[in-house]
Amino acid sequence: MTTAATPFRWREPSILPGFGLALGTTLTALSLIVLIPLAALFLKAASAGPADIWAVATSPRTLAALKLSFLGALIAALVNAVFGLILAWVLVRYEFPGRRLIDAAVDLPFALPTAVAGISLAAIYAPNGIVGSLFAPLGIKIAYTPLGVMVALVFIGLPFVVRTVQPVLEELQSDVEEAAALLGASRARTIFRVILPPVLPALMTGFVLAFARAVGEYGSVIFIAGNVPMVSEIAPLLIVIRLEQFDYAGAAVVATMMLIISFALILSVNLIQAHARRRFGDV
């Protein structure tokens, strides 16, 4: 005996009315702010024609700029993931003089204009700067090199990791660590088997945010990069240069390549993060 089929639902409806209005408003805002501009970008890039698209996408200057932008952003995000976790741990677990000052300084890259940050970093890490002068006798040049680009990307991405991991560490009671020690776990085992699993999803979220922020960074990088083509030129700067040359289609091609690569990388990290959440559970 069959029963009347019930309509399929993704999830139980809310007791509050207004789903249709809320969904319509959300889709409208998403279309106006995200989907329509991205569609216009793809259309502008397609207007260049297959031959011009291939010429711009495969030119050595474009490939070098994309490599520096994405590789530098990846390295900076990895550095921030390690040291951001350590900094968040120190701020949560320890009390020391100046703790509140350091906690407030973490948000400085959020409030500081990117141009000011770039000029400050260039002055500090230049060969005659406070930090750069220490490395210059060793033959290490930081400013106006790819290394300087990574320094700027680390600077602007650190708060994303710290502020993402910090609330999770605050909820993680120290009793868990003490229980692991009482059961005979070593410090290394406690870190990798007790502390890291619940923190890992938040850490990966901070990593993705720092990476995404670093890929598109412009203001704080151009002052310390040197902007030498094929050496220290980033992809956002190359887009600006093409726009100044009225090559709008070429700029759209480079921007589209950045969009596709960024989406693929962030999607891959999000899939890994989803796997980590399923394995370790939500925190």
Side-chain angles (χ1 to χ4, degrees), residues 218 237-248 251:
Y218 176 77
L237 176 61
L238 182 58
I239 295 174
V240 173
I241 292 175
R242 288 188 174 274
L243 289 175
E244 292 176 346
Q245 297 172 348
F246 302 101
D247 184 10
Y248 301 119

Side-chain angles (χ1 to χ4, degrees), residues 84-174:
L85 176 60
I86 297 174
L87 179 56
W89 176 267
V90 171
L91 292 175
V92 171
R93 284 291 189 264
Y94 300 100
E95 293 287 345
F96 54 90
R99 174 180 171 274
R100 292 186 181 276
L101 182 61
I102 296 177
D103 193 21
V106 170
D107 295 327
L108 191 60
F110 286 146
L112 198 65
T114 55
V116 176
I119 294 173
S120 302
L121 292 174
I124 293 173
Y125 289 97
N128 59 346
I130 299 175
V131 178
S133 60
L134 300 177
F135 290 90
L138 303 177
I140 301 175
K141 187 178 180 181
I142 300 178
Y144 318 124
T145 65
L147 181 58
V149 174
M150 297 178 194
V151 169
L153 298 182
V154 169
F155 174 79
I156 58 99
L158 181 63
F160 291 95
V161 177
V162 176
R163 295 311 183 204
T164 305
V165 174
Q166 193 171 359
V168 180
L169 292 176
E170 290 174 349
E171 295 180 0
L172 187 64
Q173 301 296 328
S174 59

Side-chain angles (χ1 to χ4, degrees), residues 54-71 230-231 233-235 238 242 254 257 261:
W54 180 256
V56 173
T58 58
S59 68
R61 186 175 181 180
T62 300
L63 295 178
L66 290 172
K67 179 181 178 181
L68 177 58
S69 291
F70 283 97
L71 184 60
M230 308 289 295
V231 177
E233 184 180 57
I234 58 175
L238 182 58
R242 288 188 174 274
V254 179
M257 293 180 64
I261 298 173

Side-chain angles (χ1 to χ4, degrees), residues 70-85 153 156-165 199-215 262 264-273 277:
F70 283 97
L71 184 60
L74 180 61
I75 295 175
L78 290 173
V79 172
N80 283 328
V82 175
F83 292 98
L85 176 60
L153 298 182
I156 58 99
L158 181 63
F160 291 95
V161 177
V162 176
R163 295 311 183 204
T164 305
V165 174
V199 176
L200 185 60
L203 181 61
M204 296 186 68
T205 300
F207 170 83
V208 171
L209 293 175
F211 173 78
R213 178 71 174 85
V215 166
S262 298
L265 291 175
I266 293 176
L267 178 62
S268 301
V269 176
N270 283 337
L271 292 176
I272 297 174
Q273 182 183 15
R277 287 188 181 277

